[in-house]
Amino acid sequence: MARTFLRSLLLPLFFVLALVPWSHGLRQVQEQPSSLAAASSTVQYHGGPLLTKPNGINVYLIWYGGFSLNDRNSITDFFASFTGPGPHQGPSVSTWWRTISPYKDKAGKPVSSTVRLVKQVGDVYSSGKTLKRAQIANFVKSKIDSKIFQLDSNGIYLVLTAKDVTIERFCMGSCGFHESITVGAMARLVFAHIGDPTVQCPGLCAWPYALPTYGPPGQALVAPNGIGADGMIISIATLLAGAASNPFMTGYFQGDALAPLEAVTACPGIFGAGAYPGYPGNLLVDKMSKASYNAYGANGRKFLLPAMWDLISLNCKVTT
């Protein structure tokens, strides 16, 4: 069963409750003025395996369709940022990921302390521009069967689809999902899909860098790397945390296992202190470009990363 996250959670709640299956948590968020307190109850451990190997989570990336060089470089720089922010001091991708370190399995082993992009390949519309979710799993299996990707039990096989590719249920409340597949006799692997929302649903999957799909128009923030790239990076961050801490729907989550709130989706719409429904919170702003962000990354990049549920403080933690 897929773990789908709804970026409509990021919009003003009174316009989107009809779309969201996790209304109990949303109602409690609405009652919290800062949105930094518990969304409902804490994210709980359900006894299953996590991605915990100490050498890190390996990402195997498929670019399906056409992507601009800027989008490719922005996303690969995001993955490079898990090892450190470069010359900048302050909030970073790597410090954001540290929030997940208290997430431990039954043996006391924490989620892997870093993420790295180990291999990437392109696919120029080999199956056309309209795809079913099952085809995403088939792409991953074909790359493993052909030895293009290795079999990696601590890996995440990520398929990114271009802005002109239509995926089943993408932009219909969903900005991405992660699932698991069995390859061979024993290997159970994690894969995920995220689409470029630039054309199909920027207000749903690139907020706050686009006007919200629902509700009255407001001011969209300036994206440091472009609306499409930054929308995908927010979604990638969300799914990385969810897949690492709940890879097989038996790890850390809140609520119903069939529609779980995971490490990041338990903190809807929060990117900075003072966040509330429809407002992402206080963010850093680049003096020259006026772009809003909350984390530094590799090669001078600036990113916007979602808050993550902190098991220590029992609230939603933003980058520090």
Side-chain angles (χ1 to χ4, degrees):
M1 179 64 66
R3 270 78 75 207
T4 301
F5 69 93
L6 307 182
R7 290 295 299 283
S8 56
L9 292 170
L10 305 180
L11 307 178
L13 294 179
F14 48 87
F15 291 101
V16 300
L17 284 176
L19 294 177
V20 182
W22 308 315
S23 56
H24 173 69
L26 287 175
R27 284 194 294 269
Q28 294 201 19
V29 170
Q30 197 172 27
E31 293 166 3
Q32 302 291 341
S34 71
S35 287
L36 290 173
S40 60
S41 59
T42 186
V43 172
Q44 296 180 338
Y45 181 46
H46 295 79
L50 316 178
L51 301 185
T52 59
K53 288 187 178 179
N55 60 343
I57 295 169
N58 296 323
V59 174
Y60 302 85
L61 177 58
I62 300 172
W63 302 92
Y64 187 89
F67 291 84
S68 70
L69 182 61
N70 175 72
D71 287 354
R72 285 176 176 264
N73 288 341
S74 298
I75 290 169
T76 55
D77 281 345
F78 169 68
F79 284 113
S81 302
F82 281 86
T83 58
H88 290 285
Q89 299 295 319
S92 67
V93 175
S94 57
T95 59
W96 170 79
W97 188 250
R98 288 176 197 164
T99 303
I100 210 166
S101 60
Y103 288 66
K104 299 179 181 180
D105 66 11
K106 288 190 293 186
K109 294 185 292 186
V111 166
S112 300
S113 61
T114 192
V115 176
R116 56 185 181 180
L117 178 61
V118 295
K119 192 164 187 178
Q120 53 183 315
V121 298
D123 186 315
V124 187
Y125 306 106
S126 65
S127 297
K129 295 185 177 182
T130 302
L131 305 175
K132 298 291 187 181
R133 282 192 170 193
Q135 291 176 275
I136 303 297
N138 291 336
F139 289 145
V140 172
K141 285 183 177 179
S142 69
K143 295 297 185 288
I144 295 171
D145 290 342
S146 60
K147 309 300 183 183
I148 294 173
F149 289 160
Q150 69 182 62
L151 204 63
D152 190 341
S153 61
N154 210 61
I156 296 175
Y157 298 83
L158 175 62
V159 180
L160 300 181
T161 51
K163 60 187 177 183
D164 58 348
V165 178
T166 301
I167 302 292
E168 178 186 16
R169 288 160 59 187
F170 176 63
C171 287
M172 299 178 67
S174 168
C175 300
F177 68 92
H178 68 88
E179 285 187 16
S180 63
I181 53 174
T182 301
V183 179
M186 298 292 292
R188 196 176 182 191
L189 307 177
V190 177
F191 75 98
H193 165 261
I194 290 164
D196 183 339
T198 304
V199 174
Q200 299 178 51
C201 54
L204 186 71
C205 297
W207 185 87
Y209 293 129
L211 297 179
T213 300
Y214 301 94
Q219 184 176 2
L221 302 181
V222 177
N225 306 294
I227 292 175
D230 282 313
M232 285 188 286
I233 287 166
I234 293 169
S235 297
I236 291 168
T238 300
L239 283 184
L240 285 176
S245 59
N246 189 32
F248 308 118
M249 236 170 62
T250 55
Y252 284 88
F253 63 87
Q254 176 190 126
D256 189 341
L258 298 181
L261 293 175
E262 298 177 328
V264 169
T265 53
C267 300
I270 303 171
F271 295 90
Y276 54 82
Y279 173 64
N282 298 323
L283 305 175
L284 300 170
V285 179
D286 185 272
K287 292 181 180 179
M288 297 294 292
S289 68
K290 307 303 181 185
S292 296
Y293 64 99
N294 62 7
Y296 294 103
N299 299 319
R301 294 283 182 182
K302 295 169 181 175
F303 299 111
L304 185 65
L305 302 179
M308 190 185 305
W309 182 260
D310 183 10
L311 291 177
I312 303 302
S313 61
L314 298 182
N315 63 22
C316 294
K317 185 177 180 180
V318 297
T319 53
T320 55

